[in-house]
């Protein structure tokens, strides 16, 4: 006997269902559409003078005129190589993060950008300009990993582990180095993703209560 039907969100969250694969496909197409926008922005930056958009829209720690970079810096990159290095990881982690629900994805992205961006603004090097989608990428990785734990979703954990194996060489970027890399943005992005996963976790539906009746 059935006591109810799954909602669309529940169906899309179940690995192996048609709804799950359809959601994953839509998410992949959406993320692939985002990448050309980033390339267009970089082309405009090169056209107006390489680095000018980065300075105008990047995070400049502890300077009021660099605070708007919290919102704009993920869309800017310090050259084509920087953008190439972020494009594929962004598609991968973004696809699986978006497949978990559009509304959750939008709010999670907002939280990741705030935690990573504001954190960099407070603790970053005031002599630097921080740009790039790396903080968001690490945020999505933290989102998938933590979502797998709090929602007991093995496929989320598996995806996070798989992507971690593919890009293990970038994971050290959450640690301080002498390289011109904002390790603070990466580490705080990871933290932001974990926070978002907890805030916007999908709650398990409660089993319906049945009233026992006696008949003679």
């Amino acid at each position: 006997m059935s006591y109810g039907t799954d909602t669309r969100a529940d169906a899309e969250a179940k690995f192996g269902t048609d709804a799950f694969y359809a959601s994953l496909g839509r998410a992949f197409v959406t993320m692939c559409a985002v990448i050309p926008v980033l390339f267009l922005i970089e082309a405009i930056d090169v056209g107006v003078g390489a680095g000018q958009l980065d300075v105008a829209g990047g995070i400049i720690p502890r300077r009021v005129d660099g605070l708007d970079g919290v919102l704009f810096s993920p869309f800017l990159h310090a050259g084509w190589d920087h953008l190439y290095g972020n494009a594929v990881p962004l598609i991968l982690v973004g696809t699986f993060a978006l497949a978990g629900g559009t509304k959750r994805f939008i709010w999670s992205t907002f939280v990741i950008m705030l935690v990573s961006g504001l954190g960099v603004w407070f603790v970053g090097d005031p002599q630097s300009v921080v740009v790039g989608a790396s903080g968001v990428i690490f945020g999505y990785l933290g989102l998938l990993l933590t979502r797998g734990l709090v929602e007991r979703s093995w496929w989320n954990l598996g995806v996070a582990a798989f992507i971690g194996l593919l890009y293990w060489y970038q994971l050290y970027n959450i640690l301080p180095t002498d390289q011109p890399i904002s390790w603070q943005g990466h580490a705080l992005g990871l933290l932001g993703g974990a926070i978002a996963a907890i805030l916007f976790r999908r709650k398990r539906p409660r089993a319906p209560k049945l009233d026992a009746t006696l008949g003679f």
Side-chain angles (χ1 to χ4, degrees), residues 20-203:
F20 170 83
Y21 291 121
S23 176
L24 200 61
R26 290 192 298 269
F28 177 74
V29 172
T30 301
M31 292 308 302
C32 285
V34 169
I35 301 305
V37 176
L38 299 182
F39 274 88
L40 176 60
I41 292 173
E42 184 60 27
I44 293 173
D45 184 33
V46 172
V48 300
Q52 288 194 32
L53 286 185
D54 296 342
V55 174
I59 299 172
I60 305 176
R62 298 193 288 282
R63 281 179 49 178
V64 175
D65 59 344
L67 191 56
D68 58 352
V70 171
L71 296 179
F72 298 128
S73 64
F75 302 97
L76 302 168
H77 289 82
W80 296 110
D81 289 343
H82 188 201
L83 178 53
Y84 290 141
N86 280 340
V88 175
L90 182 59
I91 291 175
L92 283 176
V93 291
T95 293
F96 287 101
L98 177 55
T102 302
K103 186 179 294 185
R104 288 207 301 169
F105 175 79
I106 292 173
W107 281 108
S108 296
T109 302
F110 183 68
V111 169
I112 291 168
M113 289 172 63
L114 280 183
V115 173
S116 177
L118 287 176
V120 168
W121 190 83
F122 276 110
V123 304
D125 180 0
Q127 304 302 318
S128 65
V129 178
V130 181
V131 295
S134 300
V136 173
I137 292 171
F138 274 80
Y140 289 153
L141 187 60
L143 175 74
L144 294 173
L145 179 60
T146 308
R147 183 182 289 175
L149 294 173
V150 299
E151 297 183 9
R152 300 178 185 177
S153 172
W154 292 106
W155 79 265
N156 270 305
L157 284 173
V159 167
F162 175 68
I163 294 173
L165 288 174
L166 284 179
Y167 295 98
W168 61 268
Y169 58 90
Q170 289 198 23
L171 294 180
Y172 73 89
N173 286 332
I174 64 174
L175 301 174
T177 68
D178 294 330
Q179 301 299 317
I181 296 173
S182 177
W183 65 270
Q184 299 98 330
H186 298 161
L188 290 166
L190 200 68
L191 174 62
I195 293 173
I198 295 171
L199 289 177
F200 309 119
R201 64 188 180 278
R202 181 174 286 123
K203 297 180 180 179

Side-chain angles (χ1 to χ4, degrees), residues 2-28:
S2 173
Y3 294 100
T5 58
D6 290 339
T7 64
R8 178 179 175 182
D10 292 332
E12 290 177 348
K14 288 186 177 180
F15 179 81
T17 63
D18 290 341
F20 170 83
Y21 291 121
S23 176
L24 200 61
R26 290 192 298 269
F28 177 74

